[in-house]
Coordinates of all heavy atoms in Angstrom, one line a residue:
R24 N 10.7 6.4 20.1 CA 11.2 6.8 18.8 C 10.4 6.2 17.7 O 10.3 5.0 17.7 CB 12.7 6.4 18.8 CG 13.3 6.5 17.4 CD 14.8 6.2 17.5 NE 15.3 6.1 16.2 CZ 16.4 5.5 15.8 NH1 17.1 5.0 16.7 NH2 16.8 5.6 14.6
A25 N 10.0 7.0 16.8 CA 9.3 6.4 15.6 C 10.3 5.8 14.7 O 11.4 6.3 14.4 CB 8.6 7.6 14.9
V26 N 10.0 4.6 14.2 CA 10.9 3.9 13.3 C 10.2 3.6 12.0 O 10.8 3.0 11.0 CB 11.4 2.6 13.9 CG1 12.3 2.9 15.1 CG2 10.3 1.6 14.2
G27 N 8.9 3.9 11.9 CA 8.2 3.7 10.6 C 6.9 4.6 10.6 O 6.5 5.2 11.6
F28 N 6.3 4.6 9.4 CA 5.1 5.4 9.2 C 4.2 4.8 8.1 O 4.7 4.0 7.3 CB 5.3 6.8 8.9 CG 5.9 7.1 7.5 CD1 5.0 7.5 6.5 CD2 7.2 6.8 7.2 CE1 5.5 7.7 5.2 CE2 7.7 7.0 6.0 CZ 6.9 7.5 4.9
K29 N 2.9 5.1 8.1 CA 2.0 4.7 7.0 C 0.9 5.7 7.0 O 0.3 6.0 8.0 CB 1.4 3.3 7.4 CG 0.6 2.6 6.3 CD 1.6 1.8 5.5 CE 0.8 0.9 4.6 NZ 1.3 1.0 3.2
I30 N 0.7 6.3 5.8 CA -0.3 7.3 5.6 C -1.1 7.1 4.4 O -0.7 6.4 3.5 CB 0.3 8.8 5.6 CG1 1.3 8.9 4.4 CG2 1.0 9.1 6.9 CD1 1.9 10.3 4.3
G31 N -2.3 7.6 4.4 CA -3.2 7.5 3.3 C -4.3 8.5 3.3 O -4.3 9.4 4.2
Y32 N -5.2 8.4 2.4 CA -6.3 9.4 2.3 C -7.5 8.8 1.6 O -7.4 7.7 0.9 CB -5.9 10.6 1.6 CG -5.3 10.5 0.2 CD1 -6.2 10.4 -0.9 CD2 -4.0 10.3 0.0 CE1 -5.7 10.3 -2.2 CE2 -3.5 10.1 -1.2 CZ -4.3 10.1 -2.3 OH -3.8 9.9 -3.6
E33 N -8.7 9.4 1.8 CA -9.9 9.0 1.2 C -10.0 9.3 -0.3 O -9.7 10.4 -0.7 CB -11.1 9.6 1.9 CG -12.4 9.2 1.3 CD -13.6 9.8 2.1 OE1 -13.8 9.4 3.2 OE2 -14.3 10.7 1.5
V34 N -10.3 8.3 -1.1 CA -10.5 8.6 -2.6 C -12.0 8.8 -2.8 O -12.4 9.7 -3.6 CB -10.0 7.3 -3.4 CG1 -10.4 7.5 -4.9 CG2 -8.5 7.2 -3.2
S35 N -12.8 8.0 -2.2 CA -14.3 8.1 -2.2 C -14.8 7.5 -0.9 O -14.1 7.0 -0.1 CB -14.8 7.4 -3.4 OG -14.7 6.0 -3.2
S36 N -16.1 7.6 -0.8 CA -16.7 7.0 0.5 C -16.4 5.5 0.6 O -16.5 5.0 1.7 CB -18.2 7.3 0.5 OG -18.8 6.7 -0.6
D37 N -16.1 4.8 -0.4 CA -15.9 3.4 -0.4 C -14.4 3.0 -0.5 O -14.0 1.9 -0.2 CB -16.6 2.7 -1.5 CG -18.1 2.7 -1.3 OD1 -18.5 2.8 -0.2 OD2 -18.8 2.4 -2.3
V38 N -13.5 4.0 -0.9 CA -12.1 3.6 -1.2 C -11.2 4.5 -0.4 O -11.2 5.7 -0.5 CB -11.9 3.8 -2.7 CG1 -10.4 3.4 -3.1 CG2 -12.8 3.0 -3.6
F39 N -10.2 3.8 0.3 CA -9.1 4.4 1.0 C -7.9 4.2 0.2 O -7.6 3.0 -0.3 CB -9.0 3.9 2.4 CG -8.0 4.6 3.2 CD1 -8.3 5.9 3.8 CD2 -6.7 4.1 3.4 CE1 -7.4 6.6 4.5 CE2 -5.8 4.8 4.2 CZ -6.1 6.0 4.7
Y40 N -7.0 5.2 0.0 CA -5.8 5.0 -0.7 C -4.6 5.0 0.3 O -4.4 6.0 1.0 CB -5.6 6.2 -1.7 CG -4.4 6.1 -2.6 CD1 -4.4 5.1 -3.6 CD2 -3.3 6.8 -2.4 CE1 -3.2 5.0 -4.4 CE2 -2.2 6.7 -3.2 CZ -2.1 5.8 -4.2 OH -1.0 5.6 -5.0
S41 N -3.9 4.0 0.3 CA -2.7 3.8 1.1 C -1.5 4.5 0.3 O -1.0 3.9 -0.6 CB -2.4 2.4 1.4 OG -1.2 2.2 2.2
W42 N -1.2 5.7 0.7 CA -0.3 6.5 -0.1 C 1.2 6.2 0.0 O 1.9 6.0 -0.9 CB -0.6 8.0 0.1 CG 0.3 8.9 -0.6 CD1 0.6 8.9 -2.0 CD2 0.9 10.1 -0.1 NE1 1.4 9.9 -2.3 CE2 1.6 10.7 -1.2 CE3 1.0 10.7 1.1 CZ2 2.3 11.9 -1.0 CZ3 1.7 11.9 1.3 CH2 2.4 12.4 0.2
M43 N 1.6 6.1 1.3 CA 3.0 6.0 1.5 C 3.3 5.4 2.9 O 2.5 5.5 3.8 CB 3.6 7.5 1.5 CG 5.1 7.5 1.5 SD 5.8 9.2 1.4 CE 5.1 9.8 -0.1
G44 N 4.4 4.7 2.9 CA 4.9 4.1 4.2 C 6.3 3.8 4.1 O 6.9 3.7 3.0
G45 N 6.9 3.6 5.3 CA 8.3 3.2 5.3 C 8.8 2.9 6.7 O 8.2 3.2 7.7
V46 N 9.9 2.1 6.7 CA 10.5 1.7 8.0 C 12.0 2.0 7.8 O 12.6 1.7 6.8 CB 10.3 0.2 8.3 CG1 11.0 -0.2 9.5 CG2 8.8 -0.1 8.4
I47 N 12.6 2.6 8.9 CA 14.0 2.9 8.9 C 14.8 1.6 8.6 O 14.5 0.5 9.2 CB 14.5 3.5 10.2 CG1 13.8 4.8 10.4 CG2 16.0 3.6 10.4 CD1 14.0 5.4 11.8
P48 N 15.8 1.6 7.7 CA 16.5 0.3 7.3 C 16.9 -0.6 8.5 O 16.7 -1.8 8.4 CB 17.6 0.8 6.5 CG 17.1 2.1 5.9 CD 16.3 2.7 6.9
N49 N 17.5 0.0 9.5 CA 18.0 -0.9 10.6 C 16.8 -1.6 11.4 O 17.1 -2.5 12.1 CB 18.8 0.0 11.6 CG 20.1 0.4 11.1 OD1 20.6 -0.2 10.1 ND2 20.7 1.3 11.7
F50 N 15.6 -1.2 11.1 CA 14.5 -1.8 11.8 C 13.6 -2.7 10.9 O 12.6 -3.2 11.4 CB 13.6 -0.7 12.5 CG 14.3 0.0 13.6 CD1 15.1 1.1 13.3 CD2 14.2 -0.4 14.9 CE1 15.7 1.8 14.4 CE2 14.9 0.2 15.9 CZ 15.6 1.3 15.7
R51 N 14.0 -2.8 9.7 CA 13.3 -3.7 8.8 C 13.4 -5.1 9.1 O 14.3 -5.5 9.8 CB 13.7 -3.4 7.3 CG 13.4 -2.0 6.9 CD 13.8 -1.7 5.5 NE 13.5 -0.3 5.1 CZ 14.0 0.3 4.2 NH1 14.9 -0.2 3.4 NH2 13.7 1.6 3.9
R52 N 12.5 -5.9 8.6 CA 12.5 -7.4 8.8 C 12.1 -7.7 10.3 O 12.5 -8.8 10.8 CB 13.8 -8.0 8.4 CG 14.1 -7.8 7.0 CD 14.3 -9.1 6.2 NE 14.7 -8.8 4.8 CZ 13.8 -9.1 3.8 NH1 12.6 -9.6 4.1 NH2 14.2 -8.9 2.6
N53 N 11.4 -6.9 10.9 CA 10.9 -7.1 12.3 C 9.4 -7.1 12.4 O 8.8 -7.0 13.5 CB 11.5 -6.1 13.2 CG 13.0 -6.2 13.4 OD1 13.4 -7.3 13.8 ND2 13.7 -5.2 13.2
G54 N 8.7 -7.1 11.2 CA 7.2 -7.1 11.2 C 6.6 -5.7 11.4 O 5.4 -5.6 11.5
I55 N 7.4 -4.6 11.4 CA 6.9 -3.3 11.6 C 6.0 -2.9 10.4 O 4.9 -2.3 10.7 CB 8.0 -2.3 11.9 CG1 8.7 -2.7 13.2 CG2 7.5 -0.9 11.9 CD1 10.0 -2.0 13.4
A56 N 6.4 -3.1 9.2 CA 5.6 -2.7 8.1 C 4.3 -3.4 8.1 O 3.2 -2.9 7.8 CB 6.3 -3.0 6.8
A57 N 4.3 -4.7 8.4 CA 3.1 -5.5 8.5 C 2.1 -5.0 9.6 O 0.9 -4.9 9.4 CB 3.4 -7.0 8.7
S58 N 2.7 -4.6 10.7 CA 1.9 -4.1 11.8 C 1.3 -2.8 11.4 O 0.1 -2.5 11.7 CB 2.8 -3.9 13.1 OG 3.1 -5.1 13.6
L59 N 2.0 -1.9 10.8 CA 1.5 -0.6 10.3 C 0.4 -0.8 9.3 O -0.7 -0.2 9.3 CB 2.6 0.3 9.8 CG 3.6 0.8 10.8 CD1 4.8 1.4 10.0 CD2 2.9 1.8 11.7
A60 N 0.6 -1.8 8.4 CA -0.4 -2.1 7.3 C -1.7 -2.7 8.0 O -2.8 -2.3 7.6 CB 0.2 -3.0 6.3
N61 N -1.5 -3.6 8.9 CA -2.6 -4.1 9.6 C -3.5 -3.1 10.3 O -4.7 -3.0 10.2 CB -2.2 -5.1 10.7 CG -1.7 -6.4 10.1 OD1 -2.0 -6.8 9.0 ND2 -0.9 -7.1 10.9
Y62 N -2.8 -2.1 11.0 CA -3.5 -1.1 11.7 C -4.2 -0.2 10.7 O -5.4 0.2 10.9 CB -2.5 -0.2 12.5 CG -3.1 0.9 13.3 CD1 -3.6 0.6 14.6 CD2 -3.3 2.1 12.8 CE1 -4.2 1.6 15.3 CE2 -4.0 3.1 13.5 CZ -4.4 2.8 14.8 OH -5.1 3.8 15.5
Q63 N -3.6 0.2 9.6 CA -4.2 1.0 8.6 C -5.4 0.4 8.0 O -6.5 1.0 7.8 CB -3.2 1.4 7.5 CG -3.8 2.4 6.5 CD -2.8 2.8 5.4 OE1 -2.4 1.9 4.6 NE2 -2.5 4.0 5.3
E64 N -5.3 -0.9 7.6 CA -6.4 -1.6 7.0 C -7.6 -1.8 8.0 O -8.8 -1.6 7.7 CB -6.0 -3.0 6.5 CG -5.1 -2.9 5.3 CD -4.4 -4.2 4.9 OE1 -5.0 -5.3 5.3 OE2 -3.4 -4.1 4.2
E65 N -7.3 -2.1 9.3 CA -8.3 -2.2 10.3 C -9.0 -0.9 10.5 O -10.3 -0.8 10.6 CB -7.8 -2.7 11.6 CG -8.8 -3.0 12.7 CD -9.8 -4.1 12.3 OE1 -9.5 -5.0 11.5 OE2 -10.9 -4.0 12.8
W66 N -8.2 0.2 10.6 CA -8.8 1.6 10.7 C -9.7 1.9 9.5 O -10.9 2.3 9.7 CB -7.7 2.6 10.8 CG -8.3 4.0 10.9 CD1 -8.6 4.7 12.0 CD2 -8.6 4.9 9.8 NE1 -9.1 5.9 11.7 CE2 -9.1 6.0 10.3 CE3 -8.5 4.8 8.4 CZ2 -9.5 7.1 9.6 CZ3 -8.9 5.8 7.6 CH2 -9.4 7.0 8.2
A67 N -9.3 1.6 8.3 CA -10.1 1.8 7.1 C -11.4 1.0 7.1 O -12.5 1.5 6.8 CB -9.3 1.5 5.8
R68 N -11.3 -0.3 7.6 CA -12.5 -1.1 7.7 C -13.4 -0.5 8.7 O -14.7 -0.5 8.4 CB -12.0 -2.5 8.1 CG -13.1 -3.6 8.0 CD -12.5 -5.0 8.3 NE -11.5 -5.4 7.3 CZ -10.2 -5.6 7.5 NH1 -9.7 -5.3 8.7 NH2 -9.4 -6.0 6.6
N69 N -12.9 0.0 9.8 CA -13.8 0.6 10.8 C -14.4 1.9 10.4 O -15.5 2.3 10.9 CB -13.0 0.8 12.1 CG -12.7 -0.5 12.8 OD1 -13.4 -1.5 12.6 ND2 -11.6 -0.5 13.6
Q70 N -13.8 2.5 9.4 CA -14.4 3.7 8.8 C -15.4 3.4 7.7 O -15.8 4.3 7.0 CB -13.3 4.7 8.3 CG -12.3 5.1 9.4 CD -12.9 5.7 10.6 OE1 -13.7 6.6 10.5 NE2 -12.6 5.1 11.8
H71 N -15.6 2.1 7.4 CA -16.6 1.6 6.5 C -16.1 1.8 5.0 O -16.9 1.8 4.1 CB -18.0 2.3 6.7 CG -18.4 2.2 8.1 ND1 -18.8 1.0 8.6 CD2 -18.6 3.1 9.0 CE1 -19.2 1.2 9.9 NE2 -19.0 2.4 10.2
Y72 N -14.8 1.8 4.8 CA -14.3 1.7 3.4 C -14.4 0.3 3.0 O -14.3 -0.6 3.8 CB -12.8 2.2 3.3 CG -12.6 3.6 3.6 CD1 -12.1 4.1 4.8 CD2 -13.0 4.6 2.7 CE1 -12.0 5.4 5.1 CE2 -12.8 5.9 2.9 CZ -12.3 6.4 4.1 OH -12.1 7.7 4.4
K73 N -14.7 0.1 1.7 CA -14.9 -1.2 1.2 C -13.6 -1.8 0.6 O -13.4 -3.0 0.6 CB -16.0 -1.2 0.1 CG -17.3 -0.7 0.5 CD -18.0 -1.6 1.5 CE -19.4 -1.1 1.8 NZ -19.6 -0.8 3.2
T74 N -12.8 -0.9 0.0 CA -11.5 -1.3 -0.5 C -10.4 -0.4 -0.1 O -10.6 0.8 0.2 CB -11.5 -1.4 -2.1 OG1 -11.9 -0.1 -2.6 CG2 -12.6 -2.4 -2.6
I75 N -9.2 -0.9 -0.2 CA -8.0 -0.1 0.0 C -7.1 -0.3 -1.3 O -7.0 -1.4 -1.8 CB -7.2 -0.5 1.3 CG1 -6.1 0.5 1.6 CG2 -6.7 -1.9 1.2 CD1 -5.6 0.4 3.0
Q76 N -6.6 0.8 -1.8 CA -5.8 0.8 -3.0 C -4.4 1.4 -2.7 O -4.2 2.1 -1.8 CB -6.5 1.7 -4.1 CG -7.8 1.2 -4.6 CD -8.4 2.2 -5.6 OE1 -8.0 3.3 -5.8 NE2 -9.3 1.7 -6.4
M77 N -3.5 1.0 -3.6 CA -2.1 1.5 -3.6 C -1.5 1.4 -4.9 O -2.0 0.8 -5.8 CB -1.3 0.7 -2.6 CG -1.2 -0.8 -3.0 SD 0.1 -1.6 -2.1 CE 1.5 -1.0 -2.9
K78 N -0.4 2.1 -5.1 CA 0.4 2.1 -6.4 C 1.8 1.8 -6.0 O 2.3 2.2 -4.9 CB 0.4 3.4 -7.1 CG -0.8 3.7 -7.9 CD -0.6 5.0 -8.6 CE -2.0 5.6 -9.0 NZ -1.8 7.0 -9.4
T79 N 2.5 1.0 -6.8 CA 3.9 0.8 -6.7 C 4.5 0.7 -8.1 O 3.8 0.5 -9.0 CB 4.2 -0.4 -5.8 OG1 5.6 -0.4 -5.5 CG2 3.8 -1.7 -6.5
R80 N 5.8 0.8 -8.1 CA 6.5 0.6 -9.4 C 6.8 -0.8 -9.6 O 7.1 -1.6 -8.7 CB 7.8 1.5 -9.5 CG 7.5 3.0 -9.6 CD 8.8 3.7 -9.8 NE 8.5 5.1 -10.1 CZ 8.3 6.1 -9.2 NH1 8.5 5.9 -7.9 NH2 8.1 7.3 -9.6
E81 N 6.8 -1.2 -10.9 CA 7.1 -2.6 -11.2 C 8.5 -3.1 -10.7 O 8.7 -4.3 -10.4 CB 7.0 -2.8 -12.7 CG 6.8 -4.3 -13.1 CD 6.3 -4.4 -14.6 OE1 7.1 -4.2 -15.5 OE2 5.1 -4.7 -14.8
K82 N 9.4 -2.2 -10.6 CA 10.8 -2.5 -10.2 C 10.8 -2.8 -8.7 O 11.8 -3.4 -8.2 CB 11.7 -1.4 -10.5 CG 11.5 -0.1 -9.7 CD 12.5 1.0 -10.2 CE 12.3 2.3 -9.5 NZ 13.2 3.3 -10.0
H83 N 9.8 -2.5 -7.9 CA 9.8 -2.7 -6.5 C 9.2 -4.1 -6.2 O 8.1 -4.2 -5.6 CB 9.0 -1.6 -5.7 CG 9.7 -0.3 -5.9 ND1 11.0 0.0 -5.6 CD2 9.1 0.9 -6.2 CE1 11.2 1.2 -5.8 NE2 10.1 1.8 -6.2
K84 N 9.9 -5.1 -6.5 CA 9.4 -6.5 -6.4 C 9.1 -6.9 -5.0 O 8.1 -7.6 -4.8 CB 10.5 -7.5 -6.9 CG 10.9 -7.3 -8.4 CD 9.8 -7.4 -9.3 CE 10.3 -7.3 -10.8 NZ 9.2 -7.2 -11.7
A85 N 9.8 -6.5 -4.0 CA 9.5 -6.8 -2.6 C 8.2 -6.2 -2.2 O 7.4 -6.9 -1.5 CB 10.7 -6.4 -1.7
M86 N 7.9 -5.0 -2.6 CA 6.6 -4.4 -2.3 C 5.5 -5.1 -2.9 O 4.4 -5.3 -2.3 CB 6.7 -2.9 -2.7 CG 5.3 -2.2 -2.4 SD 4.7 -2.3 -0.7 CE 5.6 -1.0 0.0
I87 N 5.7 -5.5 -4.2 CA 4.6 -6.3 -4.9 C 4.3 -7.6 -4.1 O 3.1 -7.9 -3.9 CB 5.0 -6.5 -6.3 CG1 5.1 -5.2 -7.1 CG2 4.0 -7.4 -7.0 CD1 5.8 -5.3 -8.4
V88 N 5.3 -8.3 -3.8 CA 5.2 -9.6 -3.1 C 4.5 -9.3 -1.7 O 3.6 -10.0 -1.3 CB 6.5 -10.3 -2.9 CG1 6.4 -11.5 -2.0 CG2 7.0 -10.8 -4.3
F89 N 5.0 -8.3 -1.0 CA 4.4 -8.0 0.3 C 3.0 -7.7 0.2 O 2.1 -8.2 1.0 CB 5.2 -6.7 0.9 CG 4.6 -6.2 2.2 CD1 4.9 -6.8 3.4 CD2 3.8 -5.1 2.2 CE1 4.4 -6.3 4.6 CE2 3.3 -4.6 3.4 CZ 3.6 -5.2 4.6
S90 N 2.6 -6.9 -0.8 CA 1.2 -6.5 -1.0 C 0.3 -7.7 -1.4 O -0.8 -7.9 -0.9 CB 1.1 -5.4 -2.0 OG 1.8 -4.3 -1.6
Q91 N 0.8 -8.6 -2.3 CA 0.1 -9.7 -2.7 C -0.1 -10.7 -1.6 O -1.2 -11.3 -1.4 CB 0.8 -10.4 -3.9 CG 0.6 -9.6 -5.2 CD 1.4 -10.2 -6.4 OE1 2.5 -10.7 -6.2 NE2 0.8 -10.1 -7.5
L92 N 0.9 -10.9 -0.7 CA 0.7 -11.7 0.4 C -0.3 -11.2 1.4 O -0.9 -12.0 2.2 CB 2.1 -11.9 1.2 CG 3.1 -12.8 0.4 CD1 4.4 -12.7 1.1 CD2 2.6 -14.2 0.2
R93 N -0.6 -9.9 1.4 CA -1.6 -9.3 2.2 C -3.0 -9.2 1.5 O -3.9 -8.7 2.1 CB -1.2 -7.8 2.5 CG 0.2 -7.8 3.3 CD 0.4 -6.4 3.9 NE -0.7 -5.9 4.7 CZ -1.0 -6.3 5.9 NH1 -0.2 -7.2 6.5 NH2 -2.0 -5.9 6.6
G94 N -3.1 -9.8 0.4 CA -4.4 -9.9 -0.3 C -4.6 -8.9 -1.4 O -5.7 -8.8 -1.9
F95 N -3.6 -8.1 -1.7 CA -3.8 -7.1 -2.8 C -3.7 -7.8 -4.1 O -2.9 -8.8 -4.3 CB -2.7 -6.0 -2.7 CG -3.0 -4.9 -1.7 CD1 -2.7 -5.2 -0.4 CD2 -3.6 -3.7 -2.1 CE1 -2.9 -4.2 0.6 CE2 -3.8 -2.8 -1.1 CZ -3.5 -3.0 0.2
E96 N -4.4 -7.3 -5.1 CA -4.4 -7.8 -6.5 C -4.0 -6.7 -7.4 O -4.4 -5.5 -7.2 CB -5.7 -8.4 -6.9 CG -6.1 -9.6 -6.1 CD -7.4 -10.2 -6.6 OE1 -8.0 -9.6 -7.6 OE2 -7.9 -11.2 -6.0
I97 N -3.3 -7.0 -8.4 CA -2.9 -6.0 -9.5 C -4.2 -5.7 -10.3 O -4.7 -6.7 -10.9 CB -1.7 -6.4 -10.3 CG1 -0.5 -6.6 -9.5 CG2 -1.5 -5.4 -11.5 CD1 0.7 -7.3 -10.2
K98 N -4.6 -4.5 -10.3 CA -5.8 -4.1 -11.1 C -5.5 -3.5 -12.4 O -6.3 -3.7 -13.4 CB -6.7 -3.2 -10.3 CG -7.3 -3.8 -9.0 CD -8.2 -4.9 -9.5 CE -8.9 -5.6 -8.3 NZ -9.8 -6.7 -8.7
S99 N -4.4 -2.8 -12.5 CA -4.0 -2.2 -13.8 C -2.6 -1.7 -13.7 O -2.0 -1.7 -12.7 CB -4.9 -1.1 -14.2 OG -4.9 0.0 -13.3
K100 N -2.0 -1.4 -14.9 CA -0.7 -0.9 -15.0 C -0.7 0.4 -15.8 O -1.5 0.5 -16.8 CB 0.2 -1.9 -15.7 CG 0.4 -3.2 -15.0 CD 1.3 -4.1 -15.8 CE 1.5 -5.5 -15.1 NZ 2.4 -6.4 -15.7
T101 N 0.1 1.4 -15.4 CA 0.2 2.6 -16.2 C 1.4 2.4 -17.2 O 2.4 1.7 -16.9 CB 0.5 3.8 -15.3 OG1 1.7 3.6 -14.6 CG2 -0.7 4.0 -14.3
K102 N 1.3 3.0 -18.3 CA 2.4 3.0 -19.3 C 3.4 4.0 -19.0 O 3.1 5.2 -18.9 CB 1.8 3.1 -20.7 CG 0.8 2.0 -21.1 CD 0.3 2.1 -22.4 CE -0.6 1.0 -22.7 NZ -1.2 1.0 -24.0
K103 N 4.6 3.6 -19.0 CA 5.8 4.5 -18.8 C 6.8 4.1 -19.8 O 6.7 3.1 -20.5 CB 6.4 4.4 -17.4 CG 5.4 4.9 -16.3 CD 5.3 6.4 -16.4 CE 4.2 6.9 -15.4 NZ 3.9 8.3 -15.5
Q104 N 7.8 5.0 -20.0 CA 8.8 4.7 -21.0 C 9.6 3.4 -20.7 O 9.8 2.6 -21.6 CB 9.8 5.8 -21.1 CG 9.2 7.1 -21.8 CD 10.1 8.2 -21.9 OE1 11.2 8.2 -21.3 NE2 9.8 9.2 -22.7
S105 N 10.0 3.2 -19.5 CA 10.8 2.0 -19.2 C 9.9 1.0 -18.4 O 9.0 1.5 -17.6 CB 12.0 2.3 -18.4 OG 11.7 2.6 -17.1
S106 N 10.1 -0.2 -18.6 CA 9.3 -1.2 -17.8 C 9.4 -1.1 -16.3 O 8.5 -1.3 -15.6 CB 9.7 -2.6 -18.3 OG 9.0 -3.6 -17.6
A107 N 10.6 -0.8 -15.9 CA 10.9 -0.7 -14.4 C 10.1 0.5 -13.8 O 9.8 0.4 -12.6 CB 12.4 -0.5 -14.2
E108 N 9.8 1.5 -14.6 CA 9.1 2.6 -14.0 C 7.6 2.5 -14.2 O 6.8 3.3 -13.7 CB 9.5 3.9 -14.7 CG 11.0 4.3 -14.4 CD 11.2 4.5 -12.9 OE1 10.4 5.2 -12.2 OE2 12.2 3.9 -12.4
K109 N 7.1 1.4 -14.8 CA 5.7 1.1 -14.9 C 5.1 1.1 -13.5 O 5.6 0.4 -12.6 CB 5.5 -0.2 -15.7 CG 4.1 -0.4 -16.2 CD 4.0 -1.7 -17.0 CE 4.9 -1.6 -18.3 NZ 4.8 -2.8 -19.1
R110 N 3.9 1.7 -13.3 CA 3.3 1.7 -12.1 C 2.1 0.7 -12.1 O 1.4 0.5 -13.1 CB 2.7 3.1 -11.7 CG 3.7 4.0 -11.0 CD 3.8 5.2 -11.8 NE 4.7 6.2 -11.1 CZ 5.7 6.7 -11.7 NH1 6.1 6.3 -12.9 NH2 6.4 7.6 -11.1
L111 N 2.0 0.0 -11.0 CA 1.0 -1.0 -10.8 C 0.0 -0.5 -9.8 O 0.3 0.0 -8.7 CB 1.5 -2.3 -10.2 CG 2.7 -3.0 -10.9 CD1 3.2 -4.2 -10.2 CD2 2.3 -3.3 -12.4
I112 N -1.3 -0.5 -10.2 CA -2.4 -0.1 -9.3 C -2.9 -1.4 -8.7 O -3.3 -2.3 -9.4 CB -3.5 0.6 -10.0 CG1 -3.0 2.0 -10.5 CG2 -4.7 0.8 -9.1 CD1 -2.4 2.0 -11.9
M113 N -2.8 -1.5 -7.3 CA -3.2 -2.7 -6.6 C -4.4 -2.3 -5.7 O -4.5 -1.2 -5.2 CB -2.0 -3.2 -5.8 CG -0.8 -3.5 -6.7 SD 0.6 -4.2 -5.8 CE 0.0 -5.9 -5.6
E114 N -5.2 -3.4 -5.4 CA -6.4 -3.1 -4.6 C -6.7 -4.4 -3.8 O -6.4 -5.5 -4.2 CB -7.6 -2.9 -5.5 CG -8.9 -2.6 -4.8 CD -10.0 -2.2 -5.8 OE1 -10.1 -1.0 -6.2 OE2 -10.7 -3.1 -6.2
K115 N -7.2 -4.1 -2.6 CA -7.6 -5.2 -1.7 C -9.0 -4.9 -1.2 O -9.3 -3.7 -0.8 CB -6.7 -5.2 -0.5 CG -7.0 -6.2 0.6 CD -6.0 -6.2 1.7 CE -6.4 -7.2 2.8 NZ -5.4 -7.3 3.9
I116 N -9.9 -5.9 -1.2 CA -11.2 -5.7 -0.6 C -11.1 -5.9 0.9 O -10.5 -6.8 1.4 CB -12.2 -6.8 -1.2 CG1 -12.3 -6.5 -2.7 CG2 -13.5 -6.8 -0.5 CD1 -13.1 -7.6 -3.5
L117 N -11.7 -4.9 1.6 CA -11.6 -5.0 3.0 C -12.8 -5.8 3.5 O -12.9 -6.3 4.5 CB -11.7 -3.6 3.6 CG -10.5 -2.7 3.3 CD1 -10.7 -1.3 3.7 CD2 -9.2 -3.3 3.9

């Protein structure tokens, strides 16, 4: 039974975009998201991408912390009406 997923796509020959991922709530806090992210990053590295990028909303504090602990840095922010809806563009060098 699938309990999580992680998908992405090529932005350029050097950049892979980690678009979306998730884990069923009852299966969270078991390292599944980290395992999926590890697999995706290793796959991207093996495909010769130099960086992996992602976006998240400023209100998703857990995702920001998770990403920063994995080596992602905030590269820029998009302007939105409310601060909570502001999007953060994050990047990690592979």
Side-chain angles (χ1 to χ4, degrees):
R24 168 178 173 197
V26 297
F28 72 99
K29 190 90 170 126
I30 57 177
Y32 57 86
E33 181 177 288
V34 173
S35 71
S36 61
D37 288 341
V38 180
F39 186 80
Y40 184 74
S41 180
W42 179 44
M43 192 180 296
V46 176
I47 295 172
N49 288 345
F50 292 89
R51 292 180 183 160
R52 303 235 179 252
N53 290 306
I55 295 167
S58 292
L59 291 168
N61 287 340
Y62 184 89
Q63 185 181 62
E64 290 172 21
E65 186 62 27
W66 179 89
R68 192 176 292 111
N69 289 337
Q70 302 306 308
H71 307 290
Y72 292 105
K73 304 290 185 239
T74 60
I75 189 163
Q76 294 179 342
M77 60 163 289
K78 284 183 201 168
T79 190
R80 288 186 170 93
E81 200 164 73
K82 67 182 178 183
H83 297 308
K84 302 298 184 192
M86 176 55 85
I87 295 166
V88 170
F89 175 78
S90 300
Q91 288 176 320
L92 289 173
R93 298 191 56 75
F95 281 82
E96 295 181 1
I97 297 169
K98 291 298 182 181
S99 62
K100 296 180 182 184
T101 61
K102 296 181 180 181
K103 295 288 175 188
Q104 289 179 347
S105 76
S106 177
E108 291 303 311
K109 196 177 292 180
R110 273 122 174 126
L111 306 178
I112 292 91
M113 301 181 77
E114 183 176 273
K115 177 180 179 176
I116 296 172
L117 296 172

